[in-house]
């Protein structure tokens, strides 16, 4: 979503909207529509700037991405 580059599904992080918050789905088992992003801050920041999360997850309004940002920061070496 962020950089729009193609990658294998195992190399991407699945994101799901639960209520009004973006949640990482590292196991790929949470219900609902999912969107995929590289687990890198550069790609994450591009997706936030483009407002790609609400559009991809078909959310009616803005989504909170603070917890997701912390997860990506910790996952990035």
């Amino acid at each position: 979503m962020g950089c729009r580059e193609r990658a294998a599904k195992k190399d991407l992080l699945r994101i799901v909207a639960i209520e009004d918050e973006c949640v990482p789905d590292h196991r790929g088992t949470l219900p609902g529509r999912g969107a995929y992003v590289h687990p890198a801050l550069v790609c994450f920041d591009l997706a936030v700037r483009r407002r790609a999360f609400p559009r991809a997850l078909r959310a009616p309004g803005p989504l909170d991405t603070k917890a997701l940002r912390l997860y990506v920061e910790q996952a990035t070496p």
Side-chain angles (χ1 to χ4, degrees), residues 3-74:
C3 63
R4 299 180 184 170
E5 290 182 16
R6 290 185 178 255
K9 197 175 188 179
K10 64 179 178 135
D11 296 334
L12 300 173
L13 174 65
R14 183 172 187 255
I15 310 298
V16 178
I18 297 180
E19 296 186 17
D20 63 345
E21 184 177 6
C22 286
V23 177
D25 182 15
H26 55 275
R27 292 177 51 202
T29 57
L30 290 176
R33 185 171 183 84
Y36 293 87
V37 66
H38 287 104
L41 281 175
V42 174
C43 196
F44 173 80
D45 288 338
L46 278 172
V48 170
R49 191 170 1 154
R50 291 181 180 149
R51 297 183 183 113
F53 290 116
R55 191 171 47 248
L57 299 172
R58 296 184 183 166
L63 295 171
D64 183 20
T65 58
K66 292 175 190 163
L68 181 59
R69 182 174 180 76
L70 288 174
Y71 181 84
V72 172
E73 285 176 351
Q74 293 173 357

